[in-house]
Amino acid sequence: ALKTAYNLSLDLDSRVPLVEQGLAEAAIEAQTPALRGTPRELECVRLVCNLALTQGRTEVVMMRQGVLGPLVAIVRDGFGDALLYAVTALGHLAFVQSNARDITASGVLVPLTNVFKKGDERLQLKAVDVIRNVAAAGAEPKLVRAVVDELHEMAREGEGERQLR
């Protein structure tokens, strides 16, 4: 069923009805600590990531459905592709200004600095997207300051895409 839902979520026009029917909520509820690092966890996170990419049409509903907490838990303790998709989903959710406050209040910005230190470049760039979207939405400057040093370091050491972001 998860693979079918994921395939449906690839179609942009299907994402809003899927979220309205509670699919994002169900995918998040299916994630338990026992699933950490399993293919099922990855399928759930990939599905949530797709559903959160609608340029404002599903992101607020998904936050109300409770996707933030499990995504933050994956950012704190996850690894591999599940971590990449969780960070990417947070970037999509942070695209909507009304979500930025809850995202910063969740405490996820500090664990994102760990992603800068240990993640591969793809993951680091996705983490920068989250912070950029939160900052653009008017997050409290003191909350964003926690990651500014890491961003400066990335810009100094990086080239190309890393400096651009």
Side-chain angles (χ1 to χ4, degrees):
L2 271 175
K3 287 183 182 182
T4 301
Y6 174 76
N7 288 334
L8 289 171
S9 76
L10 295 173
D11 176 36
L12 179 61
D13 294 330
S14 297
R15 292 176 188 163
V16 173
L18 290 171
V19 169
E20 289 172 349
Q21 293 172 13
L23 190 58
E25 187 174 22
I28 286 297
E29 286 175 358
Q31 290 184 354
T32 63
L35 290 179
R36 190 65 32 100
T38 67
R40 184 175 173 96
E41 177 193 46
L42 179 58
E43 288 177 12
C44 289
V45 178
R46 285 177 52 196
L47 174 60
V48 168
C49 185
N50 278 356
L51 294 174
L53 181 57
T54 60
Q55 298 178 340
R57 296 182 1 224
T58 61
E59 291 86 340
V60 172
V61 172
M62 290 176 68
M63 290 285 283
R64 279 196 306 255
Q65 291 177 345
V67 300
L68 181 59
L71 292 173
V72 170
I74 293 170
V75 171
R76 286 193 174 122
D77 302 320
F79 55 90
D81 285 342
L83 177 58
L84 175 67
Y85 283 109
V87 171
T88 303
L90 284 171
H92 298 330
L93 293 169
F95 178 78
V96 176
Q97 187 173 12
S98 61
N99 291 342
R101 178 161 292 180
D102 289 336
I103 290 170
T104 54
S106 74
V108 76
L109 296 182
V110 173
L112 282 172
T113 62
N114 293 329
V115 169
F116 296 141
K117 296 173 186 172
K118 69 178 181 180
D120 64 17
E121 185 171 358
R122 226 175 24 144
L123 184 56
Q124 290 173 342
L125 293 174
K126 293 298 183 181
V128 170
D129 288 344
V130 175
I131 293 163
R132 183 189 59 228
N133 288 348
V134 167
E140 296 284 329
K142 66 181 179 181
L143 296 173
V144 177
R145 255 184 243 126
V147 296
V148 167
D149 289 340
E150 296 297 328
L151 291 174
H152 284 295
E153 186 67 25
M154 277 184 70
R156 274 195 303 274
E157 292 180 2
E159 51 188 58
E161 186 71 18
R162 288 177 67 141
Q163 284 185 327
L164 179 61
R165 288 193 186 190

